[in-house]
Amino acid sequence: MSFYVTTPIYYVNAQPHLGHAYTTIAADILARHRRQRGEEVFFLTGTDEHGEPVAQVAEREGVSPAELADRNVVHFKRMVEALNCTNDFFIRTTDSEHEAGVQRFMQGLYDRGEIYEGTYEGWYCPNCADFKTDQEILDGNLCPIHRIPLEWVKEDNYFFKLSAYQERLERLYAERPGFIAPGIRYNEALSFITGGLQDVSVSRPNLEWGVTVPWDTNQVFYVWFDALLNYYTALEYGTGEDVRDRFWPPDVQIIGKDILKFHAVFWPAMLMAGELELPEQIFIHGFLLMQGEKMSKTLGNVLDPFLVIDLFGVDALRYYCFREVSFGQDGSISTEGFEARYNTELANDYGNLASRTIAMIDRYRGGTVPEAAPPAELMEDFAGLRETVAAHLDKVELSFALEEIWKRVRRLNQFVEQRAPWNLAKDDGSAALLDETLYGLAEGLRVVSVLLHAYIPDAAGKALAALGVAPADAPPLDDVEFGARPGGSEVERIPPLFPRIEAIETAPSQTGAG
Ligand code: MSP
């Protein structure tokens, strides 16, 4: 089994913000989870370096677009690393192999008569690098996304015969209702298609920063056509060998709802024109909002992922985004929300569960997980958990999967309180019950940690190591069977996985041993 997952490639015209981190983490969670299932994974992310969004900022800053890209790409690469992401390649659209791949693909369309010469006239947003229809624009001439004045452009360029694909796209949507998810986005894209498709510009004259049109060197490709093809060209050269046979087409392409039209309409039509297989699924998530507005560099309300990582740690960021906002929908985030979930869920629910489980095994059983039968009530609560989590993740339901795991984390804490091992330890007659309790906790902690590994790899890895589980980059999901690992292993005390954050140190502390 192979699994190919992609993120959008981000414009290098500014520093990365939490919105970019969000999509990248989502793809990483899926990539890690699939590796845990034993699948061969290719996870792609990267930067979109051509076109007006980059050229304009470069001009404003008095540097060449190439210099700006070289300067900013560093931050995006650093972000991916700081997020603990396991991408197999980081594509830059200025890679010469990518540029050559774009030229080959587009020349093929031109040779087959899919592209023709024409004149475009209409509104254009340089930040979106997108043409806007009269229905889309705000207050006469404002971009609905960036709220900046649109430009009226009239230019000679080349067009792709998108209109010729209307019927085939409608058929695709009818035959494959899962092609675009969630359903609300499927409906949105379908109504865009049934509303009537016009041919689209694939090139821009008067722009130098882009991939040269091979049959007319006075033009460069419109940045979106160059950018979308990254998903294909990367497989040709990213790992030093051509892995298209193994990984094409993508299984899941994750994007934000701002770029739905390009991915749900242009992209499949281009692939049809190029006679390539279509992706299995494009999953569209919502916006992270700050103070009720989309977080965006243009609106200036962005959270810096590096700062968040410094404050809370990378696992906390990876966790919070999918917990606070149901993946797929829009949702507000805030530093207060971060602190609250960090303390109540990561520090208390999970961190404390790990600390006290290890500490009690250490204190009451000399550091060895007792041999015992798994407690029946926990067996019941954990039955089918792996399948449930995997089924949610197959549907890219990152928040639902996490909620299922978290229910078990809470269940284990409840179990500690119910069994009160610190009382059992006082009574020799309860030794067998204490064994069963500690064994059940060790197993529960192990199972949730393997499942959480895709979300919070550092902390889950530490918890597993503390339980004496052999270290692994992708702890196999096959092992996620409550009661499958016998007792007998040595545990090791660890410092708190999520040390409490000073600011709200006054929150009530948990009772019990630990
Ligand atoms: N370069 C194009 C994409 C080309 S893909 C072939 C682009 N780049 S971008 O830098 O503007 O990044 C857009 C993407 O960043 C969104 O689709 C989304 O994945 C992510 N996000 C940017 N802001 C976001 C939020 N406020 N909330 C959630 N995701 C956000 O468009």
Side-chain angles (χ1 to χ4, degrees):
M1 282 285 270
S2 74
F3 182 75
Y4 179 25
V5 60
T6 68
T7 73
I9 47 171
Y10 308 110
Y11 286 129
V12 278
N13 57 359
Q15 303 272 328
H17 64 69
L18 209 61
H20 307 124
Y22 185 53
T23 320
T24 316
I25 299 168
D28 187 59
I29 291 169
L30 293 185
R32 285 177 177 271
H33 169 77
R34 293 293 183 138
R35 288 194 204 97
Q36 289 191 272
R37 278 157 71 168
E39 296 180 18
E40 195 189 6
V41 171
F42 198 96
F43 164 22
L44 179 68
T45 188
T47 41
D48 192 353
E49 307 196 352
H50 288 132
E52 213 143 347
V54 177
Q56 273 201 342
V57 173
E59 195 181 314
R60 219 177 301 143
E61 297 190 7
V63 292
S64 72
E67 276 171 314
L68 181 75
D70 284 344
R71 197 165 75 194
N72 282 347
V73 71
V74 176
H75 302 296
F76 282 88
K77 287 189 165 175
R78 200 159 57 87
M79 174 188 80
V80 170
E81 216 168 284
L83 294 174
N84 210 349
C85 285
T86 55
N87 54 307
D88 295 280
F89 183 47
F90 186 103
I91 192 169
R92 301 181 60 180
T93 52
T94 48
D95 291 344
S96 59
E97 299 93 331
H98 167 77
E99 296 187 355
V102 170
Q103 289 179 326
R104 261 196 314 276
F105 182 92
M106 296 302 279
Q107 181 76 51
L109 297 199
Y110 185 67
D111 293 344
R112 282 203 292 279
E114 300 282 351
I115 288 173
Y116 64 92
E117 204 172 355
T119 304
Y120 175 83
E121 193 167 357
W123 293 109
Y124 176 78
C125 170
N127 282 27
C128 294
D130 192 14
F131 304 96
K132 304 284 171 185
T133 61
D134 287 346
Q135 291 77 37
E136 286 175 299
I137 62 180
L138 291 181
D139 302 335
N141 77 335
L142 294 186
C143 168
I145 294 173
H146 298 100
R147 322 230 178 111
I148 55 169
L150 297 168
E151 294 167 6
W152 183 261
V153 299
K154 181 172 185 220
E155 59 190 30
D156 292 329
N157 45 27
Y158 292 92
F159 284 80
F160 168 53
K161 288 183 180 165
L162 182 65
S163 60
Y165 286 87
Q166 170 140 359
E167 229 172 82
R168 283 181 67 184
L169 287 170
E170 285 173 6
R171 214 177 318 134
L172 163 73
Y173 274 64
E175 284 166 5
R176 289 178 45 190
F179 178 63
I180 303 292
I184 174 183
R185 303 295 164 214
Y186 170 94
N187 292 335
E188 207 176 302
L190 182 57
S191 77
F192 184 86
I193 295 166
T194 52
L197 295 179
Q198 286 166 9
D199 294 347
V200 286
S201 305
V202 297
S203 69
R204 312 280 327 266
N206 320 319
L207 256 191
E208 278 174 21
W209 184 235
V211 178
T212 308
V213 174
W215 63 86
D216 180 348
T217 52
N218 292 319
Q219 302 227 0
V220 296
F221 285 113
Y222 170 40
V223 66
W224 272 99
F225 284 81
D226 161 5
L228 286 164
L229 286 168
N230 90 86
Y231 303 131
Y232 185 71
T233 61
L235 294 185
E236 294 179 309
Y237 72 94
T239 54
E241 53 171 339
D242 187 340
V243 292
R244 283 175 297 174
D245 277 357
R246 261 152 64 202
F247 293 107
W248 188 264
D251 293 273
V252 179
Q253 302 204 263
I254 305 183
I255 61 163
K257 67 179 186 181
D258 47 341
I259 52 179
L260 174 70
K261 176 180 74 182
F262 299 102
H263 286 81
V265 185
F266 291 16
W267 178 226
M270 276 166 78
L271 292 173
M272 286 172 179
E275 294 172 351
L276 291 177
E277 266 188 274
L278 305 186
E280 267 318 301
Q281 177 165 79
I282 298 169
F283 188 93
I284 293 96
H285 65 68
F287 287 152
L288 295 180
L289 311 174
M290 283 283 278
Q291 291 108 23
E293 296 247 42
K294 181 197 175 197
M295 195 191 293
S296 87
K297 53 208 166 209
T298 321
L299 300 178
N301 59 343
V302 297
L303 263 191
D304 173 356
F306 298 108
L307 252 170
V308 177
I309 292 172
D310 277 352
L311 276 174
F312 299 96
V314 59
D315 278 345
L317 171 58
R318 294 176 61 105
Y319 173 82
Y320 175 73
C321 291
F322 301 95
R323 197 72 182 138
E324 188 79 344
V325 180
S326 182
F327 195 59
Q329 295 173 13
D330 287 353
S332 288
I333 59 165
S334 63
T335 37
E336 295 76 23
F338 246 110
E339 282 182 13
R341 288 211 186 256
Y342 181 95
N343 281 326
T344 54
E345 300 182 2
L346 290 173
N348 270 358
D349 292 348
Y350 182 64
N352 204 23
L353 172 71
S355 304
R356 37 188 199 167
T357 298
I358 302 295
M360 289 189 293
I361 293 171
D362 193 41
R363 185 175 311 162
Y364 304 136
R365 289 295 178 261
T368 307
V369 179
E371 313 260 5
E377 69 248 55
L378 289 186
M379 280 290 271
E380 205 173 296
D381 287 325
F382 277 73
L385 177 60
R386 172 183 49 198
E387 290 70 20
T388 308
V389 168
H392 280 306
L393 290 179
D394 282 351
K395 291 187 269 176
V396 200
E397 294 170 348
L398 297 173
S399 302
F400 293 145
L402 185 53
E403 172 59 19
E404 287 295 332
I405 308 171
W406 218 258
K407 273 191 209 155
R408 278 31 174 229
V409 171
R410 294 210 166 111
R411 175 68 186 97
L412 290 167
N413 282 315
Q414 188 193 31
F415 177 77
V416 179
E417 298 301 324
Q418 283 165 350
R419 293 272 178 123
W422 43 93
N423 290 335
L424 298 177
K426 290 178 196 151
D427 168 18
D428 282 349
S430 302
L433 197 56
L434 181 58
D435 279 349
E436 187 195 80
T437 303
L438 296 177
Y439 175 70
L441 283 173
E443 269 304 86
L445 177 63
R446 183 183 67 82
V447 166
V448 295
S449 298
V450 173
L451 290 169
L452 284 173
H453 198 273
Y455 291 85
I456 49 171
D458 275 354
K462 282 182 192 156
L464 289 169
L467 288 168
V469 175
D473 288 339
L477 280 202
D478 276 351
D479 298 344
V480 176
E481 203 63 65
F482 188 86
R485 184 173 189 251
S489 48
E490 300 294 312
V491 301
E492 201 173 312
R493 283 218 190 213
I494 41 167
L497 293 177
F498 296 97
R500 295 181 65 79
I501 288 184
E502 291 294 321
I504 36 180
E505 193 61 69
T506 49
S509 63
Q510 294 252 339
T511 51

